[in-house]
Amino acid sequence: MHELVQSVFDSDEKTALRQLIYALSTSGKRYFLRNEILQTFADYCQQSEKPAYFYHSSSVGKLINYTHEIILEEENTWFVIRPRIASPEVWRLTADLNRFELMKPQALLDVSDRLVNRYQPHILEIDLHPFYKSSPNIDDPRNIGQGLAFLNRYLCSQLLTDPQYWLDLLYLALDRLEHNGIRLLLNNRIPSGIQLAKQVKLALHFLSERHPNEPYEKFRSEFQELGFEPGWGNTAARVRETLELLERLIDTPQPAILEAFVARVPAVFRVVLISIHGWVAQEDVLGRDETLGQVIYVLEQARSLENKLHQEIKLAGLDLLGIKPHVIILTRLIPNCEGTFCNLRLEKVHDTENAWILRVPFSEFNPEVTNNWISKFEIWPYLEQFALDAERDLLTQFKGRPNLIIGNYSDGNLVAFLLSRRMKVTQCNIAHSLEKPKYLFSNLYWQDLEDQYHFSAQFTADLISMNAADFIITSSYQEIVGTPETIGQYESYKLFTMPHLYHVVDGIDLFSPKFNMVPPGVNENIFFPYSQKEDRDPSLCQQVNELLFNREDPQILGHLDNPNKRPIFAVAPITSIKNLTGLAECFGKSQALQEHCNLILLTSKLHSDEATNPEEAGEIQKVYDIIDQYRLHGNIRWLGMRLPSRDLGEAYRIIGDRKGIYVHFALFEAFGRSILEAMISGLPTFATQFGGALEIIENRENGFNLNPTDLAGTAKKILDFLDQCDTHPEHWEETSEWMSQRIRNRYNWQLHTNQLLLLAKIFSFWNFVMPENNEARDRYMETLFHLIYKPRAEKILEQHMNMKGTGN
């Protein structure tokens, strides 16, 4: 970057930089983000009649394209430049343009505080860098999110470097495995790593004389004499394969061998999935709008985990000992549950043998609050006591400690931290969506937003849990570090200020192997291609078809003048971030789209009086206004109802029958469950370029990623696709098949669960062999919890004690 900056200063391009800063200053603003900076520079290039290359390829053009933030002061201009993903730099340019120097991150945080008139000279600095400094780290940004592969390589290299030491550690890790007091894998006849290596060879010789299909129980006693307990396999062939992997790992360690061996180690039997603030129910209500995707995710993950653990236990030969998997979804019990089963303490998860929803009530404090549903922004005062109460109930239900705790969302992740810390259990975090990057300048103006959102508690909770977690699952690469053009969700926690509260100078190590991309799947019993006619219910098909296109209902607005037009389908909650108003306006502004298509919107609400907050009511009214403004009556159907999952699956397929398309027009989408559902159903799917959809669709020649702020460009992309379909009818089918196969091959629960359990085992071993820094890190997190988080949560509790119920 020094060279690039110097080339600007040593050329006539310095004038262009001066003119850009002047143009920004005339707006009256002082803080600018990337889009504004690029637009201003583009306007300058056009007005100055610069050649076409200048915007992208000149030195100043490159500098501006790397710039993500600019702050204007009287004496200086501050640049946040990101020459590489996950590597921001802070530069200060003096007003006379004579000096452009690299600054420490703290200087930017001070400037940001001054910008909002909240600067103070002495403020708490949070710096996590020392806790990652001595740990092995990924060095190539392209490999961020592939921590498992990195650790496999690293551990194998250590085995080669000091084989005796690491053989002993491997032995100790295997020797400590047990379940309910039953020893697994090894007994005291094998006292060391060297003896383990010898006994493996003897065991393999013993097995070579057995029939491959001979059940393990037939030679169990002989095997115990050799020092081996149950868990190696259910047949002679399976046991032999597992021991051969161990022998190869000892003799010639390789990442693929380590991964294959660890996958077979029976180390996970009891799993806790924490999802607190939503309606975690199965009948009719699967969470509220703000938690629907998370609840579906957790329920499907629980089913998949229990099924996979059953398979692992059987293949390990442990079902003969009566060992069964036990999966618990931990959530809150809601006494005023509005007709759901959320007031049941224990509920079995459908289609499982031993997966349960365990509901623990919040301590009462003010029953008018705690007996009702509580928004995710208000939940913070109750989490510590909830964790203590949940620990007792979990130990009772499991009759022992769990092997893995998985948090979901910010509140569940904080409880996962508290529980895993107390119970000494491996902790996994799944954010789903981090609020900080969704609300622009939410950290800078947190005091103004505190009464409504309580971001001081939430962002502190995020910092604590993401750093305390043993490993973090994300659905996409961009969730961690974004793209060259955008900042990742986790990356937004790297450097930020909470004026008058603290400065974060290094909030998370993005190169840590704890980050792992493990995208979720989709329920293929419900969501499957429209072309699988044999699996579709004709009566359901007729019923849902009538609902989408013809039925009159108080919760349906609009009659289609020509139902045979190609349908554009969208499914989303009616919130500003999901941007259905933008899609409706895009449709309204394009006469060509209206001539080709009908627009069908499926939301959970249709009327403003059904809204649970002012923002939602405003979005509902906006859709009505757009329909009237653009006279869309006759071209639009708006269904304001929550469809059961099987009906929703059929709805996607009916759109497919009519050769329709799906559009996901969110301003930002961390991942996008409905995108998976639409694509696997066979719908050509257009989705926002801001977020995880980039990776789901994989861009396919840039034809299906939309900029939701560019309505004309969106309409053109859709029309270009429809023109190709009209010219070449097979184009729709080819796109449909490609998208369906993309989801089936890449986004399925079997892949997800295999990877998740492998991560749990590898990181459990990692913590066993390198525990020292984790303990120091966790002590630091406890300090943040007690000195920052708890006082913030107590302020929220004070407000709640004076409130009447917050249930609606």
Side-chain angles (χ1 to χ4, degrees):
M1 188 50 63
H2 278 278
E3 293 79 6
L4 182 61
V5 169
Q6 197 61 47
S7 67
V8 173
F9 269 58
D10 291 343
S11 69
D12 294 340
E13 294 178 15
K14 187 175 179 180
T15 302
L17 185 60
R18 186 191 304 275
Q19 291 297 323
L20 172 66
I21 294 170
Y22 175 76
L24 291 172
S25 68
T26 59
S27 70
K29 294 169 57 178
R30 296 170 60 198
Y31 201 136
F32 302 90
L33 297 177
R34 188 171 190 275
N35 283 346
E36 298 171 282
I37 298 164
L38 289 177
Q39 186 58 56
T40 304
F41 185 58
D43 293 342
Y44 162 77
C45 290
Q46 183 179 9
Q47 292 163 9
S48 303
E49 298 182 347
K50 295 292 184 183
Y53 79 89
F54 194 83
Y55 177 82
H56 288 291
S57 303
S58 64
S59 294
V60 71
K62 290 177 182 177
L63 178 66
I64 297 306
N65 274 275
Y66 285 139
T67 300
H68 281 255
E69 298 175 36
I70 289 179
I71 298 176
L72 301 181
E73 287 190 304
E74 271 191 36
E75 299 300 322
N76 302 293
T77 300
W78 295 79
F79 290 71
V80 178
I81 297 173
R82 192 168 171 258
R84 293 183 300 120
I85 278 177
S87 301
E89 298 177 0
V90 177
W91 288 78
R92 182 179 68 179
L93 174 64
T94 56
D96 56 12
L97 266 67
N98 285 331
R99 292 179 62 197
F100 205 177
E101 57 185 335
L102 185 65
M103 305 294 291
K104 290 184 177 180
Q106 290 91 328
L108 177 72
L109 301 181
D110 286 341
V111 171
S112 300
D113 287 355
R114 287 198 295 268
L115 180 72
V116 293
N117 297 317
R118 286 173 177 158
Y119 170 74
Q120 62 184 62
H122 303 291
I123 190 169
L124 173 66
E125 287 189 351
I126 297 174
D127 185 359
L128 278 301
H129 177 69
F131 301 104
Y132 294 99
K133 187 176 182 180
S134 60
S135 300
N137 267 16
I138 293 166
D139 53 12
D140 188 338
R142 292 171 297 183
N143 293 330
I144 288 173
Q146 300 177 40
L148 177 64
F150 172 84
L151 278 187
N152 285 342
R153 291 192 299 272
Y154 180 83
L155 289 169
C156 286
S157 70
Q158 296 301 305
L159 282 165
L160 287 169
T161 303
D162 191 347
Q164 185 55 56
Y165 173 72
W166 284 91
L167 175 58
D168 286 339
L169 281 178
L170 180 62
Y171 159 74
L172 290 172
L174 296 176
D175 186 57
R176 68 193 180 110
L177 290 177
E178 59 85 29
H179 181 69
N180 287 347
I182 302 170
R183 290 196 68 165
L184 305 177
L185 298 185
L186 303 178
N187 60 40
N188 54 17
R189 289 184 176 86
I190 299 179
S192 67
I194 291 176
Q195 191 63 35
L196 172 63
K198 291 178 180 177
Q199 293 303 106
V200 167
K201 295 185 186 301
L202 291 175
L204 286 172
H205 177 73
F206 168 82
L207 290 167
S208 68
E209 299 175 351
R210 323 295 294 197
H211 189 279
N213 294 329
E214 183 176 345
Y216 168 76
E217 63 265 29
K218 291 283 186 67
F219 57 86
R220 177 181 176 184
S221 58
E222 293 102 314
F223 225 54
Q224 286 177 315
E225 289 294 323
L226 291 170
F228 297 99
E229 291 296 321
W232 297 97
N234 60 341
T235 65
R238 180 80 179 180
V239 174
R240 182 174 179 174
E241 289 170 8
T242 307
L243 286 171
E244 283 175 344
L245 285 169
L246 178 56
E247 182 184 44
R248 291 171 64 193
L249 183 62
I250 293 170
D251 293 341
T252 54
Q254 295 174 12
I257 297 171
L258 175 63
E259 186 167 314
F261 174 70
V262 168
R264 293 191 176 209
V265 173
V268 179
F269 305 97
R270 302 177 179 128
V271 182
V272 183
L273 312 176
I274 306 175
S275 179
I276 300 172
H277 67 274
W279 296 91
V280 181
Q282 302 179 86
E283 305 291 345
D284 299 326
V285 178
L286 289 169
R288 293 203 171 193
D289 282 348
E290 68 177 30
T291 56
L292 175 62
Q294 182 189 140
V295 172
I296 292 173
Y297 181 110
V298 171
L299 285 167
E300 292 184 355
Q301 186 184 59
R303 294 188 186 100
S304 183
L305 267 171
E306 197 229 20
N307 182 55
K308 175 63 177 174
L309 289 171
H310 265 299
Q311 294 174 17
E312 287 196 354
I313 288 169
K314 183 176 181 179
L315 287 171
L318 296 178
D319 55 334
L320 300 172
L321 303 181
I323 294 176
K324 294 181 179 179
H326 196 169
V327 178
I328 288 178
I329 299 173
L330 175 65
T331 188
R332 64 168 298 227
L333 186 147
I334 308 174
N336 298 337
C337 61
E338 301 177 24
T340 72
F341 292 125
C342 291
N343 60 345
L344 290 182
R345 178 180 174 275
L346 201 61
E347 181 186 359
K348 193 174 184 182
V349 176
H350 297 339
D351 304 319
T352 68
E353 292 182 28
N354 201 24
W356 301 83
I357 302 171
L358 173 64
R359 300 185 179 93
V360 176
F362 281 167
S363 295
E364 286 197 342
F365 296 107
N366 176 0
E368 291 193 36
V369 175
T370 56
N371 284 352
N372 295 293
W373 172 79
I374 298 174
S375 161
K376 62 184 179 181
F377 296 116
E378 301 288 339
I379 204 167
W380 308 106
Y382 310 102
L383 298 182
E384 183 178 18
Q385 188 59 48
F386 176 85
L388 294 172
D389 296 340
E391 179 186 12
R392 180 187 63 244
D393 286 5
L394 287 170
L395 292 172
T396 300
Q397 290 300 126
F398 281 136
K399 298 182 175 61
R401 291 186 307 154
N403 308 111
L404 174 64
I405 295 175
I406 304 173
N408 289 272
Y409 191 68
S410 297
D411 48 14
N413 288 330
L414 186 71
V415 171
F417 156 69
L418 295 170
L419 284 173
S420 64
R421 181 75 177 137
R422 289 177 59 85
M423 300 170 84
K424 307 301 180 188
V425 175
T426 303
Q427 176 193 347
C428 166
N429 275 20
I430 307 175
H432 295 283
S433 177
L434 291 164
E435 302 296 331
K436 181 175 171 293
K438 285 167 59 177
Y439 291 83
L440 203 57
F441 303 124
S442 51
N443 59 289
L444 200 56
Y445 294 99
W446 71 271
Q447 287 151 302
D448 301 329
L449 302 167
E450 190 69 357
D451 286 345
Q452 183 176 359
Y453 294 113
H454 306 298
F455 283 143
S456 64
Q458 180 156 6
F459 298 169
T460 306
D462 287 335
L463 277 174
I464 292 169
S465 61
M466 70 176 63
N467 283 287
D470 296 299
F471 65 99
I472 295 171
I473 281 180
T474 70
S475 297
S476 62
Y477 177 84
Q478 67 78 33
E479 189 177 336
I480 310 169
V481 288
T483 68
E485 292 77 32
T486 60
I487 301 293
Q489 291 190 63
Y490 281 96
E491 188 178 0
S492 73
Y493 284 78
K494 180 78 173 171
L495 174 67
F496 69 97
T497 173
M498 302 280 281
H500 290 168
L501 188 60
Y502 55 69
H503 282 174
V504 176
V505 297
D506 196 336
I508 185 70
D509 183 0
L510 302 166
F511 292 85
S512 168
K514 73 166 59 184
F515 284 106
N516 285 270
M517 290 181 288
V518 187
V522 61
N523 188 334
E524 294 186 40
N525 294 320
I526 295 172
F527 303 99
F528 55 85
Y530 77 99
S531 54
Q532 288 180 211
K533 305 290 186 185
E534 68 279 5
D535 296 322
R536 296 173 65 178
D537 180 346
S539 63
L540 178 64
C541 183
Q542 182 178 356
Q543 173 189 329
V544 176
N545 186 78
E546 183 70 15
L547 177 71
L548 290 177
F549 293 96
N550 300 307
R551 195 171 99 189
E552 294 186 7
D553 188 284
Q555 291 301 118
I556 299 176
L557 175 73
H559 170 80
L560 300 178
D561 292 340
N562 183 356
N564 295 321
K565 287 181 184 177
R566 202 186 292 264
I568 298 173
F569 192 39
V571 181
I574 189 89
T575 64
S576 59
I577 201 79
K578 297 300 183 183
N579 196 35
L580 286 178
T581 54
L583 177 58
E585 187 169 10
C586 174
F587 185 72
K589 285 187 169 183
S590 173
Q591 197 61 42
L593 273 182
Q594 294 171 49
E595 290 170 3
H596 281 78
C597 306
N598 290 314
L599 178 61
I600 301 176
L601 305 178
L602 176 59
T603 71
S604 59
K605 291 158 188 167
L606 184 69
H607 307 291
S608 297
D609 58 8
E610 298 165 352
T612 56
N613 57 63
E615 178 198 327
E616 194 174 49
E619 289 296 300
I620 291 172
Q621 186 56 51
K622 277 186 195 176
V623 178
Y624 281 107
D625 294 343
I626 289 167
I627 291 171
D628 291 339
Q629 178 183 352
Y630 296 102
R631 300 177 183 175
L632 296 179
H633 304 280
N635 290 322
I636 191 170
R637 288 267 285 178
W638 179 10
L639 290 73
M641 58 183 69
R642 176 84 59 84
L643 294 188
S645 294
R646 62 192 292 268
D647 292 17
L648 178 58
E650 190 58 37
Y652 288 117
R653 290 188 287 273
I654 286 169
I655 301 297
D657 291 335
R658 293 170 178 251
K659 300 294 184 283
I661 63 172
Y662 184 77
V663 177
H664 188 93
F665 209 49
L667 297 174
F668 175 83
E669 182 58 69
F671 187 64
R673 178 182 52 86
S674 67
I675 298 171
L676 300 186
E677 295 169 354
M679 287 177 68
I680 200 170
S681 302
L683 294 185
T685 298
F686 295 78
T688 177
Q689 69 186 38
F690 301 120
L694 275 172
E695 291 167 51
I696 299 176
I697 298 177
E698 216 178 28
N699 216 5
R700 196 171 167 119
E701 298 175 357
N702 198 34
F704 295 91
N705 290 330
L706 304 176
N707 181 347
T709 64
D710 180 4
L711 303 187
T714 291
K716 184 179 185 305
K717 274 196 177 183
I718 294 173
L719 287 166
D720 286 347
F721 173 74
L722 298 182
D723 287 344
Q724 290 182 66
C725 294
D726 291 341
T727 307
H728 305 285
E730 69 277 6
H731 184 65
W732 189 96
E733 279 87 358
E734 289 170 358
T735 304
S736 167
E737 176 65 17
W738 178 86
M739 290 205 167
S740 183
Q741 288 304 317
R742 166 75 177 160
I743 302 306
R744 283 189 152 170
N745 295 336
R746 178 73 179 88
Y747 299 94
N748 66 71
W749 282 112
Q750 184 177 352
L751 282 175
H752 173 97
T753 307
N754 291 349
Q755 197 79 346
L756 172 60
L757 290 175
L758 191 56
L759 283 163
K761 295 171 186 179
I762 284 286
F763 276 93
S764 177
F765 176 62
W766 179 250
N767 287 340
F768 178 71
V769 300
M770 290 192 68
E772 296 84 1
N773 213 32
N774 287 354
E775 179 62 24
R777 174 203 67 189
D778 289 349
R779 289 288 186 187
Y780 191 81
M781 294 305 105
E782 283 186 341
T783 302
L784 296 182
F785 177 82
H786 287 287
L787 298 185
I788 301 178
Y789 173 83
K790 281 187 71 171
R792 305 310 308 175
E794 285 164 4
K795 286 183 179 294
I796 304 170
L797 184 60
E798 289 175 13
Q799 298 172 11
H800 287 191
M801 293 298 288
N802 299 317
M803 289 169 62
K804 295 188 176 179
T806 61
N808 288 297

